[in-house]
């Protein structure tokens, strides 16, 4: 059952942001990688034990862009894929989901990135990436759609594009353009250690742009990794080590338990809902998509704790529905599915 402080206006929230977020001024531009996830046809096995795999479009920034569009919002994706069948398929998938893909570029020499991902019986996620280099790593600043970046109400990005040049410089340039254009900068580090040369490189790379973001979403594991602290639930650790002076909103996802939130004025926790989990891939991206969809049409959301809690419960529901299916993009919920669930849990 939802908190009384949340349940009253959830239906109004989902209705008020639907449609309004499709305006140009509410555009969320997502920058980074888009790839093909290969997911085992059965759950609870290692990659080596999987009898077969099915392909699913993925990549955290692209997942967020699709999630926003499926929720009735307005989104665009900027990134690079290979001039190959997979790359063309990914561009078409964005178009099919009403995501503006005009900022996508195609590389004639490098392939579209591939990832094999599974959830073992112990609950641990395994990743094997094929990108040496993949096209997403090769996006150059000269290929950047500057006009599209300038239109963003929110400019969202991760850390994977910071690993290698030339994409790192391209991301930094896009962030600078967005910031100077008045965009809210949204950062989900999305730690993937196998892609970095070392833990130290990952930690310094992720933190190198930390103080530029207005909104940051992290997981409990990422708190432990970035701070070296034993207890990711310690508010003092989070506030002293991760909450920088110009940050508007820091969000910590806690899986099925929900999320925590921190602003300059208040902090708290919003619970999740119980579902039967099939595959956790994309759950964090659905959460981000849910909250950014709300924030895009209500830029002062972080200043009103009641409205923020309503939006975060909306985002928690988005994440919960995503884990009931396999793969990233295919499992992201529609606005209708979220509204139906909100109606059920607040009845």
């Amino acid at each position: 059952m939802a908190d009384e402080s949340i349940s009253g206006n959830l239906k109004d929230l989902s209705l008020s942001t639907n449609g309004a977020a499709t305006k140009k001024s509410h555009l969320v531009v997502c920058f980074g990688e888009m790839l093909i996830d290969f997911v085992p046809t059965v759950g609870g096995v290692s990659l080596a034990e999987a009898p077969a795999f099915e392909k699913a479009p993925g990549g955290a920034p692209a997942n967020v862009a699709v999630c926003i569009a499926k929720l009735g919002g307005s989104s665009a994706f900027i990134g690079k894929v290979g001039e190959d069948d997979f790359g063309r398929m990914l561009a078409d998938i964005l178009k099919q989901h009403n995501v503006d893909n005009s900022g996508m570029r195609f590389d004639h020499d490098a392939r579209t990135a591939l990832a094999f991902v599974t959830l073992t019986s112990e609950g641990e996620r395994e990743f094997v990436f094929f990108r040496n280099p993949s096209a997403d790593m090769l996006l150059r600043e000269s290929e950047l759609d500057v006009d599209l970046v300038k239109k963003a109400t929110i400019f969202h990005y991760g850390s994977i594009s910071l690993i290698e040049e030339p994409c790192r410089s391209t991301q930094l340039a896009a962030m600078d353009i967005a910031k100077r254009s008045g965009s809210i900068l949204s950062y989900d580090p999305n730690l993937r250690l196998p892609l970095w040369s070392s833990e130290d490189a990952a930690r310094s790379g992720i933190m190198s742009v930390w103080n530029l973001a207005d909104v940051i979403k992290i997981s409990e594991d990422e708190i432990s990794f970035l701070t070296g602290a034993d207890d990711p639930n310690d508010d003092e650790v989070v506030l002293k080590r991760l909450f920088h002076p110009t940050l508007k909103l820091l969000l910590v996802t806690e899986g099925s338990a929900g999320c925590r939130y921190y602003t300059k004025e208040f902090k708290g926790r919003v619970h999740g809902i119980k579902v039967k989990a099939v595959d956790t891939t994309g759950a964090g991206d659905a959460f981000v998509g849910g909250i950014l969809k709300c924030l895009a049409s209500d830029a002062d959301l972080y200043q009103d704790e009641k409205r923020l809690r309503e939006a975060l419960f909306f985002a928690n529901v988005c994440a919960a529905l995503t884990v009931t299916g396999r793969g990233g993009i295919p499992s992201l919920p529609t606005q209708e599915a979220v509204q139906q669930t909100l109606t059920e849990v607040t009845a």
Side-chain angles (χ1 to χ4, degrees):
M1 184 64 67
D3 295 342
E4 289 183 7
S5 61
I6 297 175
S7 60
N9 293 328
L10 279 172
K11 295 174 187 176
D12 293 339
L13 170 77
S14 58
L15 289 173
S16 64
T17 55
N18 185 29
T22 60
K23 294 179 181 177
K24 202 74 165 180
S25 60
H26 296 153
L27 179 67
V28 180
V29 175
C30 301
F31 178 100
E33 70 280 3
M34 189 174 192
L35 48 88
I36 302 291
D37 286 332
F38 283 91
V39 184
T41 53
V42 297
V45 298
S46 69
L47 291 174
E49 295 168 332
F53 296 86
E54 55 187 25
K55 66 180 185 295
N63 288 346
V64 172
V66 172
C67 183
I68 291 167
K70 291 181 76 170
L71 293 172
S74 177
S75 64
F77 174 76
I78 292 177
K80 200 172 193 182
V81 293
E83 181 61 75
D84 51 36
D85 287 346
F86 283 146
R88 287 186 289 272
M89 182 190 85
L90 292 175
D92 288 343
I93 285 170
L94 290 181
K95 187 175 181 180
Q96 290 165 15
H97 287 95
N98 298 314
V99 176
D100 182 345
N101 67 1
S102 62
M104 288 187 76
R105 300 294 179 260
F106 297 84
D107 196 292
H108 295 281
D109 300 315
R111 299 289 190 183
T112 300
L114 307 179
F116 288 80
V117 56
T118 191
L119 188 69
T120 68
S121 56
E122 291 78 29
E124 296 297 321
R125 293 173 77 188
E126 289 184 357
F127 295 90
V128 175
F129 295 93
F130 291 82
R131 56 194 304 269
N132 291 305
S134 53
D136 61 290
M137 302 161 65
L138 303 176
L139 182 66
R140 299 186 300 272
E141 188 175 343
S142 61
E143 297 175 301
L144 192 61
D145 190 332
V146 173
D147 289 337
L148 184 58
V149 174
K150 288 180 177 179
K151 292 176 183 177
T153 293
I154 299 174
F155 184 76
H156 176 72
Y157 50 90
S159 70
I160 291 175
S161 296
L162 297 171
I163 298 174
E164 299 283 353
E165 294 289 358
C167 195
R168 174 182 168 82
S169 293
T170 306
Q171 175 167 333
L172 294 176
M175 290 168 57
D176 182 61
I177 293 166
K179 192 74 169 180
R180 287 188 284 108
S181 301
S183 303
I184 295 170
L185 296 192
S186 167
Y187 185 27
D188 176 5
N190 192 35
L191 176 65
R192 294 289 180 265
L193 267 179
L195 295 178
W196 295 86
S197 59
S198 67
E199 288 193 5
D200 287 342
R203 196 173 288 109
S204 62
I206 287 171
M207 296 305 295
S208 69
V209 297
W210 195 265
N211 289 350
L212 300 175
D214 300 300
V215 177
I216 298 175
K217 172 263 174 188
I218 49 174
S219 67
E220 294 175 293
D221 289 344
E222 288 165 346
I223 293 175
S224 298
F225 176 77
L226 294 174
T227 65
D230 293 328
D231 185 7
N233 293 301
D234 188 338
D235 285 348
E236 288 302 307
V237 169
V238 174
L239 290 170
K240 288 183 178 180
R241 302 287 298 278
L242 298 176
F243 199 97
H244 66 76
T246 60
L247 188 61
K248 294 180 173 67
L249 178 63
L250 177 63
L251 300 170
V252 180
T253 52
E254 300 181 318
S256 60
C259 67
R260 305 200 305 272
Y261 59 90
Y262 302 85
T263 74
K264 292 178 181 178
E265 286 77 32
F266 46 75
K267 58 185 172 67
R269 175 181 272 105
V270 177
H271 67 83
I273 62 171
K274 293 187 181 299
V275 295
K276 183 178 180 181
V278 174
D279 179 9
T280 59
T281 304
D285 303 327
F287 174 86
V288 174
I291 192 63
L292 293 188
K293 191 255 184 171
C294 297
L295 185 61
S297 57
D298 187 0
D300 295 326
L301 185 65
Y302 63 92
Q303 295 178 336
D304 185 317
E305 188 168 14
K306 183 174 183 292
R307 296 207 317 272
L308 177 61
R309 289 179 61 82
E310 291 167 359
L312 289 173
F313 187 66
F314 178 88
N316 284 345
V317 171
C318 291
L321 292 179
T322 299
V323 306
T324 61
R326 281 198 172 88
I329 287 176
S331 301
L332 297 170
T334 62
Q335 172 78 346
E336 292 72 26
V338 176
Q339 281 189 273
Q340 180 179 343
T341 302
L342 289 175
T343 300
E344 292 170 355
V345 299
T346 60

